Amino acid sequence: TESFDLTGYAGNIVANPAGLTITFYLSQADAQSGTSPIASPYVSAGETIWVNLANTYCQTVTSFNLVVNPLPQLTEPLQSMTSCIGADGLADFDLAGHIPVITQEPGVTVGFYASQADAAVPQSPLPSPYHSAGGTIWVRLENADCFALAPLELIGATGPAIDTTPDALSVCDDNNDCFGVFDLTQAAADIWDSASIPAGVEFHYYLTPEDAEQQTQNFIAVPTAYPNNVPCNQTIYVSVTAPGSTCPSVAPLQLIVVPRPVANDDVQPVEQCDGEDNDGLAYFNLADQALLDEILGGLDGTTHTVTYYATAADVPANPIPFNGWAAYQSATADIIAVVTHTASGCRDQVTVPLVVLALPGVADIPPYRLCDDDFDQFMSFDIAGYVSGFLVAGQTAAFYASESDALSGNAPLGSPYTNTVPGSQYIWIVVSQGGCSHLTGMDIVVDPKPVPHLLAPDDALLFSCDDNNDGFAPFNLEDIADAMQMGVPATQMVINFYLTEQDAVAGNLPIDQTIPYVNVTQWAQTLYVGANNPETPGNCRSVWPVTLTVIPGAIAAELSDLVECDDDQDGFTQFNLTEQEAAIIALQTGPAPYQIRYFESASDAAQGISPIGNITNYTNQTAFTQQIWYRVDVTGGCHDEDSFFIKVNVPFNLPATLGLFTQCADADGNQLIEWDLPVEVPVPGITSGYQVHYYHSYADALTDTDEIMDPAHYTNQGPVDDLGVMVEDLATGCKSYTMATIRVLPLPHPQQLQDDVLVMCEENGSDTATFDLTQFEDELANGDMGMAFTYHTSLADAESGTAAIPASDVAAYVSSGGTIYIRVEQHTLPDDTGAYCHTVVAITLQVDQQPDLAPGKFLTGCEVPAGTGQMSFDLNDIIAEMMPGQDTSGFTFVFSDAGGPISAADALDYTNQTNPQTITVDVTNTATGCTASQTFDLIVKPGATAAAYAFAAQCDDFGDLTDGIAEFDL
C-alpha cells in the first residue's frame, strides 16, 4: 500500500481548479450522489478513484487510477565484496562487474555511492573500478518509477604474511660483464621466512611489480635458470599465494651480479735453492706475506683469502694444507693460487711458478801456486783474485780454513791469505749465486818457482793448419800461454815466448803474443817459454821448450743464415744444422774423412768440446736469433771454425679462436646468409704485410685445402659453421692458424594473426579513436615468453628499431587510422651488434565514423488545455531535424529522459514532464556499431485562455415562444 495525496493531485485533473469543489469517492454512484466521500491523504494498494467536480451551476464526474509501483528488488541479500589490496594499501573493486550479483531485474539501473545521503539524492556516483581500502558503500537500485537503497560491505583482502625484504640473490660474474644466471627459487624460504613451506603455497616471479600484483601470465617461465637482462643489479618481483586466498603478497627480490676478483696473473717465479743432494726438490714458504700480496695484486687482504692447490685438477676440493705452507716441498712446478672474496665467495685463480735453483756449478779449481820468496814455505796468497777466474758471472766466493767453518759461515778467511801449513794447505770455498751456495775447495801451494802447465805434445794449440800447403801457418801464442797459465792470474805468473833459450832465461826480446806468430822454420819450429812470477821477489822463473808444428789445414766456409718459422710465438723452433754441409765439404782440399761438428759458443768450437747433439732437429736456445759455430776437422787434427746465424721468423700472433660471430637470419627467415668474412669475422691487428685465408674447417686450414675463394661473399653451410683461418706473413712466408665459429640465429616466429585489422569508433567527432595496440601480443607470442614488441609508424623505423611509439602510449594510442608496424624481437641471444633478431608484423587501424548529428535542435508545440505546460510529442520527429538529408534506415534511435531510456512505443506519444525538457537521443550506426549522442529540448508554448462569461437571461421571444430558442448577441 501507499499513502496518496488526493488533494495535491487535483492540479492533474483540471487545469484551473479555482472556483471548483473537488470531492473524491470510491464509486461512480457515490460520486454522482455525493455520498461517502474519502479524505486525503488516502492509503490504498491501488484502485479507481471517482471525482466530483462542481461549480455554482454544474457538476461533472470523472475518474483516475491509483497505482502502487513496485520497488526494485535485490536478486538476493547483499554479500560483501572482496578484492586484493595492492602495494599502495588500496584495492580495486569492480563495482560494475558486481551488478549481476546485486540484481537481474529488467529495467533496473544500479549505482554506487560513498554515503546513504549521496545515494538518496543521487549525487557523486563512485567509479568502477573503485580504488579503496574497503568499508561500507551504498547501492541505489532504480526502476522507471521507484528506487531502493542498500549497504554493500567492501573488504580489502591481503595475501599471506611474507618477508618483503628478502636477502638479495648473488652470483659470481664469470667474465665481469655484469650478467649471470640465477636460481630465483633459492629465495623462497627467505621470503616465506621459514625453510618449511606448506603445501599449496605458490611462488611466481615477475619482471614488474604490476604483473606480480595482478598475477598475470607474464611470469618468468624458468625461474631456476634466469639470466638477468639488466646489468649488474636487477629487481625481480615475487608473487606468493597460499591456499584459501587468491590474493598475492609481493616481495621485491634484488639480483646482484658480484664482480669476480681479479688476482695478479703474472706472479713472478718463487725461487729456492736445491739442497746439497741436488735432487731437484726445495722447501718454499708459501705463507710469505710478500708472496701473498703479489698474488692479491692490490686486492684487499682483509676481504680476500688465498688458497693453494698443487694442480688445477685439485681445485676446489683438495687444497694444500695450511700447516704445510711455511715449508712446502716441491720440484720446479706451477701451483695454483685461488683468491676468494670472503663475503661473496667469488674467486679467481692464478699460476704461481715454483723454481728450484740448481746449486752453482764450479769447475775443479787447480792449486794456487806461488814461488817461495824466502824458502820458509809460507806465502801470502790472493785467494779471492785467484778463484775469481774460475767463477762465472754472478758467482761469489767465501773462504774457510775448515769444513765446519764453511758449513756454519763462521770465521771466513780474508784475502790475501798466508798459509798456516807449510808447503801446501787445503782451503774450503763456498761459492754462492742467486742465493744458492756450493761447497768446494782448492790447494794453495808455495812453489820454489812458477811452473806453467806444460802442454802435451799432441795438444791442438801446438799445431796450426796450413791453408795453402806452404809449410807456414799462424799460431796463437796467447792461447798457448793461457793454456800453460792454467788459470793462474797474470799478476802471479807471466808467460812469454822467445826465439832462443838464452833469451828466455834472460827474459830478453819476448815475441809479441798479441799478433799471430808465423813460424820461420818450414813445417816446425821450437820456441822457448819463459814463466815468471813478477810479484815474487827473485822473479821466480822457469824456461820450457815448445815445438810448433804446421799441418795441412781445414777450410771453414762462410755460410748463409738458416731461417725457419715459429709455430707458437715464443721465438723457438727446430733447425736442421746440416743443410749446408755439402758446401763445407766442397771447399776441403786435404784428404778425407772430414768431421763437421756444431757448437753453441766460439770457445766450444775452438776447443772442440760440448758439440751439439741433435743437429738435424735442433731447437735454438736463444729466442729469435742465435749464432751457431761449426768446426771442420780433417786428417791430422787440423780444423777451422766459422759461424752462421739461425733465425726464427714469428708468424702473426693469433688467439686459439677468433671467437663466436652471430648474425640474424635474413628477412625471409633463411639461416643461410651471405657473410663478408674479412669484415664480419675479422682478424684483429692485421696489417698490409699479412694475407688472411679462410677455410671450411680448421683441418683444411692446416693442410691448405678447400680454401674459401671468395670470403667477401661466403654463404654459411648451416646455422652454425666452424671455419679455419690461416694468416700468412708475406715477407717471411710464415703461417699461423686459428679457428672461428659463425652462427645465424633464427628470426622470431610470431603466430599469424586471425584478424590484423583493429576497428574503433570515432571519438567526439574528432576523426580519431583510441586503440590498444598491445592486444595482439599474446596471439603473436603464442606462449613464447622470449618475445618483445615495439610499435612503429613506418616500416623503416620498425626494421631499424628506431622512433618507437612510447611504451606509455601503446595501450591507448590515438590515431585517425592507417598502418602500424610491430617489431617482434626474440630476446634470447643478440647478434654481434647487441641487437636481437626481429621480424615485422603490420596491422591496420580503422576508424569508423560516428553518426553525424546536428546540435541545437528542439521540438515545440502548444499546450492543450491551456495552463498545463504539457503536450504530447512524437520524439521521432527530431530525427529528420538532426540528420537532414541523410538516409536514416541504417541507424537505430534510443531516447532517454532523466528517468532513463524511453521505450519505442512511449517515444511515439511522449508527454513532457517539465517545460522546457531536455531529451537525449543515442543514434547507432547498425553497420559499424558506432554511436553518437545529442540532446534536444521539448518546448511547450502557452495555449490560449478565455474567461468564463455568463449571458444575461433572454426571454423565449424568437419564433415559437415555447421552443426554448432565444437570440443572443455573441
Side-chain angles (χ1 to χ4, degrees), residues 466 469-473 519-525 548-550:
D466 187 357
N469 290 325
D470 63 353
F472 299 95
N519 54 302
V520 295
T521 303
Q522 190 176 29
W523 297 114
Q525 181 180 359
L548 305 180
T549 303
V550 177

Side-chain angles (χ1 to χ4, degrees), residues 686-705:
I686 283 294
T687 63
S688 59
Y690 298 90
Q691 184 171 356
V692 181
H693 303 264
Y694 294 87
Y695 299 83
H696 288 286
S697 70
Y698 184 70
D700 288 344
L702 294 178
T703 59
D704 193 20
T705 57

Side-chain angles (χ1 to χ4, degrees), residues 580-603:
Q580 304 183 89
E581 285 193 356
I584 298 172
I585 293 173
L587 289 175
Q588 307 311 314
T589 59
Y594 310 113
Q595 181 185 31
I596 302 174
R597 291 177 293 170
Y598 301 85
F599 303 85
E600 292 178 339
S601 70
S603 62

